[in-house]
Amino acid sequence: MKKILITGGTGSFGNAVLTEYLNNKKFSKIYILSRDEAKQHYMSQQFKTDKIEYILGDVRDKSRIDETISGVNVVFHAAALKQVPSNELNPQEAIKTNINGTENVINACVKNKIKKLILLSTDKAVYPINTMGLTKAIAERLMLNKFKNYKTSISVVRY
């Protein structure tokens, strides 16, 4: 049975796909990594099952990501700062999460020989004109360049 980790799992993506994965018999455990304990609490009230494990943590924390990814088969990397105005006012924070956090996830996946990594990106990465688009475009390039020589199957999904 496979185990899934969703970084930023309390966001819109995690909520949207969780029901499908809960009903899929191929997956024995779904780990939801998020730094938002309130959203984790609300999700745990909505999805009452032992199949989900909530992990409090941040993709910026390399050691937390390393320990969280161990034993997982599939990683959906959805954690990001996505609000354009916030990113414009705080570009250093966008870099820490969207670029450095992505690099932490990538390196942990390589170290732990994760079978599949999916990066959730944005259409704003195509022709980036703002901080959010720029940081997500760099995150995409980091991922695509890192995995040229590894056996991990990678995907970048823009929406």
Side-chain angles (χ1 to χ4, degrees):
M1 297 274 255
K2 294 182 180 179
K3 297 177 181 178
I4 298 174
L5 169 67
I6 305 173
T7 69
T10 57
S12 57
F13 174 79
N15 276 284
V17 301
L18 200 51
T19 303
E20 182 174 335
Y21 289 121
L22 283 173
N23 295 326
N24 190 323
K25 303 245 188 276
K26 289 191 291 187
F27 303 112
S28 62
K29 200 71 157 172
I30 301 167
Y31 299 99
I32 302 294
L33 175 79
S34 169
R35 61 184 180 173
D36 192 330
E37 64 180 325
K39 285 184 181 177
Q40 285 187 5
H41 172 73
Y42 295 130
M43 277 182 95
S44 72
Q45 298 304 301
Q46 180 183 357
F47 300 102
K48 294 184 183 290
T49 175
D50 292 338
K51 196 171 184 179
I52 302 172
E53 185 174 321
Y54 298 93
I55 301 168
L56 198 57
D58 193 327
V59 294
R60 296 176 177 199
D61 183 346
K62 183 184 178 313
S63 63
R64 185 66 169 147
I65 296 303
D66 283 344
E67 69 186 39
T68 301
I69 283 181
S70 179
V72 172
N73 306 96
V74 179
V75 175
F76 286 96
H77 178 42
L81 295 181
K82 300 175 184 94
Q83 300 301 313
V84 171
S86 297
N87 280 267
E88 290 302 302
L89 292 171
N90 304 281
Q92 71 283 4
E93 298 303 312
I95 290 167
K96 289 177 191 174
T97 299
N98 297 355
I99 296 174
N100 300 341
T102 297
E103 191 165 33
N104 289 340
V105 171
I106 290 167
N107 290 335
C109 285
V110 169
K111 179 180 173 183
N112 289 281
K113 297 178 176 62
I114 301 303
K115 300 223 182 292
K116 187 162 190 71
L117 171 60
I118 300 102
L119 169 70
L120 276 69
S121 191
T122 174
D123 59 345
K124 291 170 182 60
V126 178
Y127 294 108
I129 60 169
N130 55 45
T131 304
M132 199 273 274
L134 288 165
T135 58
K136 292 301 279 183
I138 292 169
E140 288 181 11
R141 283 168 184 79
L142 282 171
M143 195 154 134
L144 295 172
N145 288 332
K146 183 70 170 195
F147 286 101
K148 286 180 182 175
N149 300 315
Y150 293 99
K151 294 183 180 181
T152 299
S153 171
I154 62 153
S155 302
V156 175
V157 180
R158 290 180 179 151
Y159 77 102

